[in-house]
Amino acid sequence: MRRFALILAFLTGSTATHAAEMLDEEGILAALMDREVLYESGARQDFRPSMRTLYTSGRPSWGYWAIRDDQYCSKWPPSDIWACYDIERLENGIRFIGFGGDIIDGTYSN
């Protein structure tokens, strides 16, 4: 019985740590607006209310962000192509999910 309880506790705990909520337009705004996200690579990204974004990984890079069809979208000059991602809320941050299923997790610095 004790072994069953330990297995159940492990399974319940592991499910809770991977829980994610897909965000809509309102949720994406709340998750990103005026926030800074830190990535595992050491890069950081600041999402400004002006819909500008500053990505820093060694050197700063300014881009634009928007929300379209319940997705986070960004473009980085000189390109005029928007790349869009689904956004999930994680326990301690957010997850960007690309068109091909690529996943990038970030945690909040503030």
Side-chain angles (χ1 to χ4, degrees):
M1 183 66 158
R2 188 171 137 199
R3 181 182 233 181
F4 177 73
L6 287 173
I7 292 170
L8 183 59
F10 174 76
L11 291 175
T12 304
S14 65
T15 303
T17 59
H18 297 303
E21 171 193 358
M22 190 65 69
L23 299 179
D24 61 8
E25 179 176 343
E26 186 177 310
I28 295 170
L29 278 173
L32 297 179
M33 182 76 70
D34 223 7
R35 304 289 299 263
E36 183 179 53
V37 174
L38 305 176
Y39 301 105
E40 191 175 284
S41 66
R44 56 185 55 227
Q45 189 170 0
D46 182 23
F47 297 88
R48 307 282 171 100
S50 64
M51 305 312 276
R52 295 290 314 262
T53 183
L54 175 61
Y55 181 86
T56 307
S57 178
R59 65 182 186 93
S61 177
W62 283 97
Y64 298 92
W65 70 285
I67 300 172
R68 298 178 174 175
D69 299 322
D70 290 333
Q71 289 189 309
Y72 159 78
C73 300
S74 61
K75 84 174 175 175
W76 302 91
S79 175
D80 62 350
I81 297 172
W82 289 89
C84 297
Y85 304 83
D86 288 327
I87 301 289
E88 290 181 339
R89 181 187 336 267
L90 303 175
E91 186 175 332
N92 296 318
I94 58 172
R95 171 173 288 157
F96 297 83
I97 304 169
F99 178 73
D102 298 333
I103 293 176
I104 301 170
D105 290 344
T107 56
Y108 294 120
S109 70
N110 52 4

